[in-house]
Amino acid sequence: MASEPTNLAISPAFTFSASTFQKLHPLEYFRKFASQGVRPDGRLLSSFRPTTVHYGVITTADGSAMVRMGGTTVVCGVKAEVAEPRLHAPDQGYLVPNVELSPICSSAFRPGAPSEQAQVVSEQIHRVLQESKVLDLKELCIEEGKAVWSLWVDVVCVSYDGNICDAALTSVMAALSNVRIRKPTYEEGVVKVAGVDLLDDENSFRLNLARTPLSVSFALLDTDLILLADPNSAEESISQGQIVITLDETGQLCAVSKVGAASSSQQLLKQCIERARERSQELRRIMNQEQ
Amino acid sequence: MSRLDRTRTSPHQLRPFFSSQNLLNRSDGSAQFDFGGSSVLCSVTGPAEVKLRDEKLDKATLEVVVRPLVGLPGVKDKALERNIRETLEPLVLSGLHPRTLVQIVVQTMKDDGSIASTAFNAAIMALLDAGIPLSSILGSVTCTIDSQTNDILLDPTTEELAQAKSTHVFVFDNKASIHAEDKSSMDHDQASSTQESSSAAVLFSDSTGLFTEGEYLECAHVCFKAAQAVHGFIRTAVEKKLLKEYQQTSA
């Protein structure tokens, strides 16, 4: 009986459930988990979410893929269209990536003009495809100065749960490897693309991808510089910075970006590159399995 | 070895800096920063009233608007906006002005390569001019790896960017550089390059192209050294401006 008053003293005036605590103090809630080396969704700080890749999910597209990373689902479709080349590059086609984050995937996005995040991801993909020379645009030429292929690479997010960068780039690379375009014929200013017969190696061609860059993202928690691999949307909202490492199959770097958070040491970046190497190999295995 | 622009003799040479502060009289702070033929004008308004939607209860909202040299802002400018905003957010002591807006407008005036770095430097000088409290100063430098010679070229021009194998933009804060200065003054002989590069804490890094991990770290090291010059330049520019102001008020 003597212990009762002390018990009363340490028991707080009111208590709330874990889910209420999460809503009131998301950062503190997360720290409680991180201090034990785990995350609220049960992952270790350095582990990635289960990932699957499916090819050819859209039959009306010339190439398509769907990628799931945990709760994030993106669908990518590639549509080839005959277009007129630019004057300064008469023998080069177009490769136009676009990422759409509509309200369908999360309540965080509003209808209307593309959000800043969608534009930033589109730009990241565009730059990786262009500057890492993934595809020689000359291969998309039908007749120099007259007609070229224009590849519209559209990524639609169906369900958003963080790490859109990795999911989007993986789906773009998977869809590009899935592309099969009918061989066109060019005669006197008219491009003809043959009828409805089944696609085979005779009457169609595949894209000759020089490399397959895949990105690996990490979120940075500012105060103690905790590194979180493959952040979900709750973790993204409390993190202050992110590191994205893009590698091709030979382990060569295609892009490195570190944005936000306080200064991070070179050691941290090296660690990220190391982890990204392992992860991109794993991603490649998953991509090849499904093909 | 001479560079493509023919005014520089070394691959690690930067173009001459130029800056001037307080050019616009209707904003709270403004600055122009030039790297040779590249020039960016930046204005800062704030702390000002914030839109209800963007209001943060415990700190100031930072808004960055990037205007290109010609035409309407595109996806590239949006990406630069986000990069500048997220890099400045940890530097600005935004807790001192809760529920306000600090608006930074970045306008490219002349484009001859390294626009991102020029914009970063112009933004920090404009923030200094506006008297927004900052925890440290940043300095930014761009470098490329040449596709033919594999040399690291600092502060590339448009021409050099066109034939680059990879492009790297780095931003360093001056905390690390003060740290490095202390270290090198204490043990001058032992300050090896590895020690210096390990102290090069990166505030922002953006690299594209094709490169190895070694090349990336080498670029970071070279840019870190060059960023010291930018830090020094910003420091002298601010000192000169303050001296002038002091003379005017005391006269």
Side-chain angles (χ1 to χ4, degrees):
Chain A
M1 279 299 156
S3 66
E4 228 179 83
T6 48
N7 267 349
L8 269 176
I10 51 167
S11 72
F14 57 94
T15 55
F16 29 62
S17 64
S19 63
T20 314
F21 182 50
Q22 182 185 14
K23 283 190 183 103
L24 290 174
H25 293 288
L27 191 56
E28 204 43 49
Y29 178 80
F30 185 81
R31 283 227 183 90
K32 288 260 192 292
F33 282 89
S35 64
Q36 303 295 315
V38 289
R39 300 200 232 174
D41 60 2
R43 282 187 288 163
L44 297 175
L45 297 179
S46 59
S47 53
F48 296 83
R49 292 175 290 179
T51 306
T52 55
V53 181
H54 293 283
Y55 291 88
V57 288
I58 307 169
T59 46
T60 49
D62 295 296
S64 60
M66 180 173 77
V67 172
R68 276 173 200 249
M69 279 187 185
T72 298
T73 309
V74 294
V75 182
C76 175
V78 182
K79 195 83 185 147
E81 209 177 77
V82 179
E84 225 171 278
R86 267 174 291 227
L87 272 178
H88 62 87
D91 59 344
Q92 288 182 10
Y94 304 87
L95 191 56
V96 192
N98 183 44
V99 178
E100 204 171 297
L101 295 172
S102 63
I104 207 171
C105 63
S106 162
S107 57
F109 304 110
R110 306 264 119 228
S115 64
E116 186 191 72
Q117 196 186 3
Q119 293 192 42
V120 167
V121 178
S122 299
E123 170 70 6
Q124 268 173 357
I125 291 173
H126 174 74
R127 279 190 5 180
V128 165
L129 292 180
Q130 192 181 38
E131 316 237 333
S132 305
K133 302 176 182 70
V134 169
L135 179 66
D136 188 4
L137 292 177
K138 286 183 179 139
E139 280 185 29
L140 299 175
C141 181
I142 300 170
E143 183 71 30
E144 195 177 323
K146 300 286 187 213
V148 293
W149 285 111
S150 167
L151 294 186
W152 302 96
V153 184
D154 285 297
V155 181
V156 175
C157 182
V158 193
S159 162
Y160 183 86
D161 193 14
N163 201 2
I164 188 74
C165 288
D166 294 8
L169 186 60
T170 312
S171 73
V172 166
M173 292 319 300
L176 284 177
S177 71
N178 184 244
V179 165
R180 208 179 246 280
I181 305 172
R182 267 173 218 284
K183 280 183 187 157
T185 49
Y186 181 84
E187 261 173 61
E188 293 156 20
V190 182
V191 177
K192 276 187 187 148
V193 183
V196 287
D197 51 330
L198 228 61
L199 285 170
D200 53 41
D201 291 334
E202 264 308 278
N203 62 12
S204 69
F205 69 97
R206 285 178 171 281
L207 297 176
N208 192 7
L209 301 178
R211 53 180 57 79
T212 312
L214 293 177
S215 71
V216 180
S217 300
F218 302 88
L220 265 175
L221 282 188
D222 204 357
T223 42
D224 16 24
L225 284 178
I226 300 176
L227 207 59
L228 304 171
D230 189 14
N232 64 26
S233 61
E235 289 159 356
E236 269 180 359
S237 65
I238 54 165
S239 81
Q240 285 88 359
Q242 62 163 344
I243 297 178
V244 185
I245 313 277
T246 311
L247 295 138
D248 72 359
E249 54 268 52
T250 60
Q252 186 158 230
L253 291 164
C254 296
V256 173
S257 97
K258 188 250 157 200
V259 185
S263 290
S264 62
S265 65
Q266 304 256 305
Q267 225 54 47
L268 195 77
L269 279 169
K270 273 187 202 164
Q271 197 187 326
C272 285
I273 295 175
E274 208 51 54
R275 287 287 300 132
R277 279 230 158 88
E278 290 165 30
R279 168 63 177 170
S280 70
Q281 291 304 332
E282 192 189 318
L283 257 180
R284 260 170 246 287
R285 258 203 307 281
I286 295 168
M287 281 176 78
N288 293 336
Q289 250 170 29
E290 300 287 334
Q291 209 155 25
Chain B
M1 194 206 100
S2 89
R3 299 278 291 266
L4 273 176
D5 63 358
R6 291 171 197 283
T7 59
R8 286 180 282 179
T9 49
S10 137
H12 290 186
Q13 199 177 350
L14 300 169
R15 286 175 286 178
F17 309 142
F18 168 81
S19 85
S20 70
Q21 284 178 304
N22 208 4
L23 289 161
L24 307 168
N25 61 356
R26 296 302 299 268
S27 63
D28 295 318
S30 58
Q32 184 188 346
F33 192 92
D34 293 15
F35 265 132
S38 290
S39 174
V40 168
L41 178 66
C42 180
S43 84
V44 171
T45 311
E49 193 184 334
V50 63
K51 257 187 277 168
L52 203 61
R53 203 181 63 177
D54 303 326
E55 187 177 276
K56 289 179 190 156
L57 289 178
D58 55 345
K59 54 185 174 187
T61 306
L62 222 62
E63 186 186 77
V64 179
V65 182
V66 171
R67 311 285 308 180
L69 183 62
V70 282
L72 293 167
V75 183
K76 260 196 188 107
D77 305 292
K78 265 277 184 284
L80 183 58
E81 270 176 20
R82 175 257 199 174
N83 287 344
I84 294 178
R85 192 190 62 234
E86 301 218 334
T87 307
L88 290 175
E89 255 166 7
L91 292 188
V92 176
L93 297 172
S94 51
L96 294 174
H97 301 290
R99 304 172 69 182
T100 58
L101 173 77
V102 175
Q103 190 189 48
I104 301 167
V105 183
V106 174
Q107 169 73 58
T108 308
M109 308 289 279
K110 286 187 276 176
D111 184 353
D112 191 15
S114 316
I115 279 299
S117 283
T118 320
F120 272 114
N121 295 334
I124 201 74
M125 291 198 72
L127 281 171
L128 280 170
D129 187 47
I132 306 284
L134 301 167
S135 65
S136 57
I137 305 294
L138 62 74
S140 177
V141 177
T142 304
C143 74
T144 61
I145 298 180
D146 195 78
S147 55
Q148 276 139 37
T149 57
N150 265 346
D151 280 332
I152 296 176
L153 303 178
L154 273 178
D155 192 16
T157 59
T158 315
E159 231 180 325
E160 284 167 332
L161 281 168
Q163 52 168 277
K165 196 176 75 161
S166 61
T167 310
H168 312 261
V169 182
F170 286 98
V171 178
F172 299 97
D173 61 6
N174 65 346
K175 281 184 206 155
S177 56
I178 293 166
H179 186 67
E181 247 168 56
D182 288 349
K183 214 181 220 173
S184 60
S185 62
M186 274 198 294
D187 44 12
H188 206 77
D189 315 303
Q190 287 176 336
S192 66
S193 64
T194 48
Q195 266 181 328
E196 275 179 56
S197 66
S198 67
S199 70
V202 184
L203 197 58
F204 168 84
S205 159
D206 184 35
S207 306
T208 49
L210 286 169
F211 49 99
T212 63
E213 190 181 341
E215 284 173 332
Y216 174 74
L217 295 172
E218 174 80 21
C219 285
H221 178 61
V222 169
C223 285
F224 176 68
K225 279 190 163 171
Q228 312 301 305
V230 178
H231 284 143
F233 175 78
I234 293 175
R235 196 187 171 83
T236 354
V238 172
E239 272 172 5
K240 268 188 191 159
K241 184 193 150 221
L242 288 177
L243 189 69
K244 214 170 169 185
E245 276 173 6
Y246 176 73
Q247 283 167 344
Q248 277 169 350
T249 49
S250 58

